[in-house]
Amino acid sequence: MKLSIPGRASTAAMVTAVTLLTTGAITGAAPASPLAVAAPDLPVANVKAHLAQLQSIATANGGNRAHGRTGYKASLDYAKAKLDAAGFTTTVQQFTSGGRTGYNLIADWPGGDTNQVVMSGSHLDSVTAGAGINDNGSGSAAVLEAALTVSRTQYQPTKHLRFAWWGAEELGMVGSRYYVNSLTTANRSKISGYLNFDMIGSPNPGYFVYDDDPAIEKTFQNYFAGIGIATEIETEGDGRSDHAPFKNAGIPVGGLFSGADYIKTAAQAAKWGGTSGRAFDACYHSSCDTTSNINDTALDRNGDALAYAVWELSS
């Protein structure tokens, strides 16, 4: 997340069954069909394997995966190779920021109505101080695994699925803004919703849902209600991540967040566990944001919620 300036398969199926008759796909959509395909479990072991790769890439490239550095490009190449092998149509978009070349990676799953695009994304860059495994390897790895699960299950949604990994978010959402600005008015209007995942495995986690588009928000809330987890409205990162350029362009947005350097309250610790009086992520933007800086339970729950939303909103 940019610095500010002064679950299980059976669970997913259960939640789907509970909400099929009440949850529309995205704003203005009809209720989901009773024949809608239940979202599969997003294997947390697979997500963690991607995080281990991102850590190795950072370690081999000066300790970070920051914009304009070799570690960022190697991270993008890792994701692209996985997606290409899985049958996605990938596009690398190039831009310049701060005198350095940056890259976005866009992956389209063939099929679905291209006039109704459900898009999920995360920023792939870290700060220069460290490997950025929670911020934002966690979101990037979960979005990657969701895309690979689409391929593995040969999911054929009604709507078109697009996944994205953004560059230079830490410099002010540069990559995502470049992408949105590059879209024609017609192509912007085809994006039914953009889902953002920026820090979803915080070590002292909270469960925060963006309160932007009501239908997308409700989809995430339904998932967490189905597994008995209370959520709160996300406020710490509001306007500080890659959903902001989409929202500013009039595209419906939503997303998940597990907390950065805000302090967990006693009430939140009573609700979610963890330690009150400490940051949700004490290693935020620091060298200690490594693979040891991840809460597996939060990563698992948020990853499954991501998959649930992608399947629900594209059916």
Side-chain angles (χ1 to χ4, degrees), residues 5-6 39 73 79 83 153 165 227 251 308 310:
I5 299 174
K73 186 58 165 57
L83 294 159
T153 61
W165 293 263
I227 62 171
I251 296 167
Y308 175 80
V310 169

Side-chain angles (χ1 to χ4, degrees), residues 3 9 51 64 71 78 118 151 155 168-169 196 200 208 213 252 254 273 284:
L3 186 64
L51 292 179
N64 67 70
Y78 168 77
V118 175
S151 173
Y155 178 42
E169 186 270 355
N196 194 60
I200 60 171
F208 299 99
D213 180 75
Y284 176 63

